[in-house]
Amino acid sequence: FAECKYSLSLVLVHSFSIIAVGVAVDKIVNAGATKVMFRGVSAGIIVSVVGLYIYDLGIPDFSYGPAIDSLNLVCVLLLVVGSEVYHRVSLQDATFETVYPEIEN
C-alpha cells in the first residue's frame, strides 16, 4: 500500500522549484543571455539522464544488458546535439501580419 507521509513536503519543494526556475528563466531572458539558458537546459538533460542511468544500474531486476542500457545514453546524445543545432540557428522574429480595417467615427 502507498504511504503519503512526506507528500506535502514533496509537493512544496516541487512547487518552489518550478517557481524558482520560472524566475531564473525570466531573468536570463530579460538579460539577453539566452545562450546560457540553452546550455543550462542541455546540462540539465545530461545530468538527469546520467543520474537515472546510474540509478537504473543499481537495480538488478531491470538490467537488460549493456546494449539496451546504453540506448538511453545514445538518445540523450542525440537530444543534446539536436538542441544545440536548433538553438544555434537564428530564427526570424515574430511579426504581426494581420491588418484590420480601421473603424470610422
Side-chain angles (χ1 to χ4, degrees):
F1 67 94
E3 190 172 321
C4 302
K5 190 174 186 179
Y6 301 106
S7 62
L8 178 62
S9 60
L10 184 62
V11 168
L12 291 176
V13 168
H14 182 71
S15 300
F16 174 75
S17 299
I18 290 174
I19 292 169
V21 166
V23 169
V25 167
D26 186 50
K27 287 184 178 184
I28 290 170
V29 169
N30 285 337
T34 54
K35 286 187 179 185
V36 174
M37 184 180 68
F38 297 138
R39 294 289 163 97
V41 169
S42 296
I45 292 170
I46 292 170
V47 168
S48 65
V49 169
V50 168
L52 289 173
Y53 182 72
I54 292 170
Y55 173 76
D56 187 38
L57 290 177
I59 303 173
D61 293 339
F62 296 114
S63 180
Y64 299 109
I68 301 298
D69 288 339
S70 64
L71 284 177
N72 286 335
L73 300 178
V74 171
C75 289
V76 77
L77 177 70
L78 290 174
L79 180 66
V80 169
V81 167
S83 175
E84 289 293 322
V85 169
Y86 175 77
H87 290 111
R88 285 187 185 164
V89 176
S90 60
L91 298 176
Q92 184 180 17
D93 290 336
T95 59
F96 188 71
E97 297 179 359
T98 304
V99 178
Y100 294 106
E102 293 185 21
I103 299 174
E104 296 178 14
N105 289 338

